[in-house]
Each structure stands twice: as structure tokens, then as C-alpha cells.
Amino acid sequence: GEFAAMFLTLALLRKGIPGKQWIGKYRRPRKITWQMKSNMLKHLEREAENEYWISRPYMTKQQEHSHAAERRAQNWLKIKETNFAKFPEHKHITDHLSHLRVTKSWSS
């Protein structure tokens, strides 16, 4: 085609491809083999199948409605319990200051 002719003239004028063969503005076009084609076909088929499976819902809308509520509630309770367990027990100010009250009577 047109591109091939253009490429040929460039190659003839320049006596080869400047720089890297496979990249750049004046690169050598890559031959497409039957393996490439078959790989592409496989890829497209796989993608189509995935799309098909994704498009079909696993649960009905009724099943889906609040299906995880119970589990979430359980998890929340667990979290609350662990946090409560971490919480230190109550101490009164008298516990902190008990070392000051060695004797309770006024010294005469």
C-alpha cells in the first residue's frame, strides 16, 4: 500500500532505518504472525466469557437485601467488646491519694 511505498522510499533514501529498528518515527513495521492472531482471538474470547459471567447476578435482589446485616452486627459487637476489655477499670481519687493518709487522726 501507500505506507509500504513511503517506507521503502525512506529506507532507500536513508540507506536503512536511523536509530532503533523497532521504535521511533521511521520504524520497521512489525510482521503479524498467526500466533499473534490466535493469541488475540483467545484473549477476546476470554474477555467475552468474563463479561457474560459478570453480567449475571449471583443473588436475587430479595436475597441481596440486607444479607450482610447480621454479620455486620456481630462484627460490631465483637469490636465493641474488645474495646471495652481494653478500657482500664475505674479508679477513685482516694485510691491515688491513699498513700498520703497514713494515719486518719489529726496529729496533736
Side-chain angles (χ1 to χ4, degrees), residues 71-83:
R71 192 185 60 214
R72 284 222 310 275
Q74 291 290 331
N75 285 351
W76 169 238
L77 278 175
K78 253 190 225 129
I79 289 165
K80 242 167 72 169
E81 277 166 19
T82 52
N83 284 353

Side-chain angles (χ1 to χ4, degrees), residues 1-9:
E2 200 178 304
F3 176 75
M6 191 175 79
F7 184 79
L8 251 175
T9 53

Side-chain angles (χ1 to χ4, degrees), residues 51-62:
E51 212 150 298
Y52 166 75
W53 286 116
I54 286 170
S55 69
R56 303 176 62 215
Y58 178 67
M59 287 197 269
T60 62
K61 284 274 178 236
Q62 285 83 22

